[in-house]
Amino acid sequence: MISNTHPALAGSLRSTVPSDELINFSPGPTSLPKPVEKSIAASFSEPGLTSLALSHRSPEFLEILEHAVASARSVMGIPDNYEVLFTHGGGHGQFAALPLNLCHEASDVATYVVNGTWSLRGRDEASRYCDAQTIDGRDSSTGDYTSFPELTEVDIDAESRYIYLCSNETVNGIELHRLPKLPESRRHIPLVIDASSDFSTKPIDWEGAGVGVLFACASKNIGHPGVTMTIIRKDLLGEGKASPLCPGVFNYTTNSEADNLWNTPATFNIEVVGRVMDWIAGIGGVEELERRSIAKASALYEVIDASDGFYGTPVTDKRLRSRMNVPFNLMGGDVTLTERFLIESWNKGMVGLRTLTPFGVGDYLRASLYNGVTIENAVALADFMKQFAREHAA
């Protein structure tokens, strides 16, 4: 076994190659698209204060805030009957905010579709504030999350205040490329989406899918850590709808009525989201990003599937394979090969394929293919994987 003192094995993201040659495959926080990074850098040489120092109630910041909201609405096709909020606390904050806003009493029912690490964590947090019922997506024979369960009428309590799902499970490599349609008899129930890791990479049928709330942490596809975009259908807002225990900082109605200014928002982070949305519009919108996502993921999955078992990936149903996070192992998890792969790829400037998480390092490496990763970056990793397999296959 190779010594675990090598930086690559400790999760280092700073290789020995020049910084502009690094390719960051980290699951997040991750890199912004290069043109966005350059536009932010250029803004620091412009006259006047940057958003790092602007008062959140100054006319200069209000213009930034209004632009970020308008640009997101345009790029993501968000209808007028939805409110756009910039919220605090990341995804974990929304795990609590959702039941506190949509369930007035602790006895209110919410249905959670659990098909991976993050939906499980969201369900567990919600169970502190409501009656969180579960549609279990685990494989009955292995106990692993490798598919997405069917949403049937019998599994969804008609009194549910909402139905929750994660559209891309980053750890498990499962993605819903389009939101599911609920059974006809359950379409009155708002659909709640954790889209933290796939937001902006494909179109969203807001009204057709019955989306009630969608939230997305900024730090994977739309910006920096420290702000979350939370989009709420306006009929779910109103006095007396949230739990009386809901803190003001998490209360959707309170923050909507205050136009995102109930307390000091993450000013710089909001500006970055606006710049990312402008970049998306400039390259052709979410349709172009979806095309790129398909191309990036296909480059890696094709290598895995053609490797005659040298590489493996847990999700065999190609309709559910994540375009955002490609999990793979080497020879069923061979430790020595895996460590050699990590070191050699790190030496070439490909970092973030294994990072430390609250859940350990996991059974699989992961290549995360967010908006900051180009098609050329993904092809470079695919080429390295082919070369490595040729050199080390038995």
Side-chain angles (χ1 to χ4, degrees), residues 195-212:
S196 291
S197 53
D198 59 345
F199 186 65
S200 80
T201 67
K202 58 198 172 191
I204 296 171
D205 185 3
W206 298 92
E207 293 175 314
V211 176

Side-chain angles (χ1 to χ4, degrees), residues 172-309:
N172 307 87
I174 299 169
E175 182 179 354
L176 300 175
H177 301 135
R178 291 294 183 269
L179 294 176
K181 292 289 194 298
L182 298 177
E184 187 70 38
S185 64
R186 299 294 185 265
R187 290 186 185 170
H188 64 284
I189 304 172
L191 194 62
V192 170
I193 313 295
D194 174 359
S196 291
S197 53
D198 59 345
F199 186 65
S200 80
T201 67
K202 58 198 172 191
I204 296 171
D205 185 3
W206 298 92
E207 293 175 314
V211 176
V213 181
L214 180 147
F215 69 90
C217 305
S219 59
K220 298 181 188 296
N221 279 311
I222 62 170
H224 287 307
V227 71
T228 298
M229 184 177 288
T230 303
I231 301 158
I232 307 106
R233 206 172 63 208
K234 291 181 179 178
D235 64 289
L236 299 176
L237 301 172
E239 190 68 33
K241 291 197 174 183
S243 163
L245 300 177
C246 184
V249 73
F250 281 166
N251 190 296
Y252 297 156
T253 299
T254 298
N255 285 277
S256 171
E257 290 176 347
D259 294 325
N260 272 302
L261 297 172
W262 186 76
N263 69 327
T264 306
T267 53
F268 175 71
N269 306 63
I270 290 171
E271 180 182 8
V272 172
V273 171
R275 288 179 182 271
V276 173
M277 291 297 164
D278 292 344
W279 171 77
I280 294 172
I283 64 168
V286 293
E287 292 79 9
E288 170 60 15
L289 281 182
E290 182 169 48
R291 183 194 72 79
R292 295 184 186 189
S293 295
I294 292 170
K296 289 184 285 186
S298 295
L300 299 188
Y301 285 122
E302 286 170 6
V303 172
I304 293 167
D305 290 338
S307 69
D308 197 25

Side-chain angles (χ1 to χ4, degrees), residues 1 9 23 31 37 59 64-65 68 74-75 93 114 138 149 188 210 244 248 259 266 298 343 345-346 353 393:
M1 184 182 301
L9 306 184
I23 307 175
S31 302
E37 287 186 344
I64 289 170
L65 175 61
S74 175
V75 166
V114 177
R138 285 177 296 186
H188 64 284
D259 294 325
S298 295
I343 291 170
S345 58
W346 186 90
L353 293 168

Side-chain angles (χ1 to χ4, degrees), residues 40-252:
I40 293 168
S43 73
F44 283 86
S45 62
E46 296 172 358
L49 297 174
T50 70
S51 58
L52 289 171
L54 288 174
S55 165
H56 61 296
R57 300 192 186 279
S58 66
E60 291 85 358
F61 178 70
L62 293 180
E63 183 178 343
I64 289 170
L65 175 61
E66 290 166 6
H67 174 77
V69 171
S71 187
R73 281 194 182 279
S74 175
V75 166
M76 295 308 304
I78 302 170
D80 290 340
N81 61 323
Y82 287 78
E83 185 69 272
V84 178
L85 298 180
F86 290 103
T87 56
H88 303 274
H92 285 81
Q94 292 309 303
F95 292 164
L98 285 161
L100 286 168
N101 277 276
L102 302 185
C103 297
H104 192 268
E105 307 293 337
S107 58
D108 286 345
V109 173
T111 297
Y112 276 72
V113 184
V114 177
N115 70 300
T117 299
W118 294 110
S119 49
L120 176 63
R121 204 158 190 179
R123 191 279 314 273
D124 288 349
E125 179 69 7
S127 65
R128 301 171 62 185
Y129 309 106
C130 68
D131 179 5
Q133 300 184 3
T134 302
I135 299 175
D136 196 337
R138 285 177 296 186
D139 184 294
S140 57
S141 60
T142 66
D144 296 329
Y145 295 107
T146 55
S147 62
F148 190 83
E150 184 180 1
L151 305 182
T152 64
E153 179 180 345
V154 70
D155 291 326
I156 302 171
D157 190 319
E159 300 301 315
S160 294
R161 301 301 295 267
Y162 61 89
I163 299 169
Y164 178 105
L165 59 85
C166 179
S167 52
N168 180 63
E169 285 283 2
T170 62
V171 175
N172 307 87
I174 299 169
E175 182 179 354
L176 300 175
H177 301 135
R178 291 294 183 269
L179 294 176
K181 292 289 194 298
L182 298 177
E184 187 70 38
S185 64
R186 299 294 185 265
R187 290 186 185 170
H188 64 284
I189 304 172
L191 194 62
V192 170
I193 313 295
D194 174 359
S196 291
S197 53
D198 59 345
F199 186 65
S200 80
T201 67
K202 58 198 172 191
I204 296 171
D205 185 3
W206 298 92
E207 293 175 314
V211 176
V213 181
L214 180 147
F215 69 90
C217 305
S219 59
K220 298 181 188 296
N221 279 311
I222 62 170
H224 287 307
V227 71
T228 298
M229 184 177 288
T230 303
I231 301 158
I232 307 106
R233 206 172 63 208
K234 291 181 179 178
D235 64 289
L236 299 176
L237 301 172
E239 190 68 33
K241 291 197 174 183
S243 163
L245 300 177
C246 184
V249 73
F250 281 166
N251 190 296
Y252 297 156

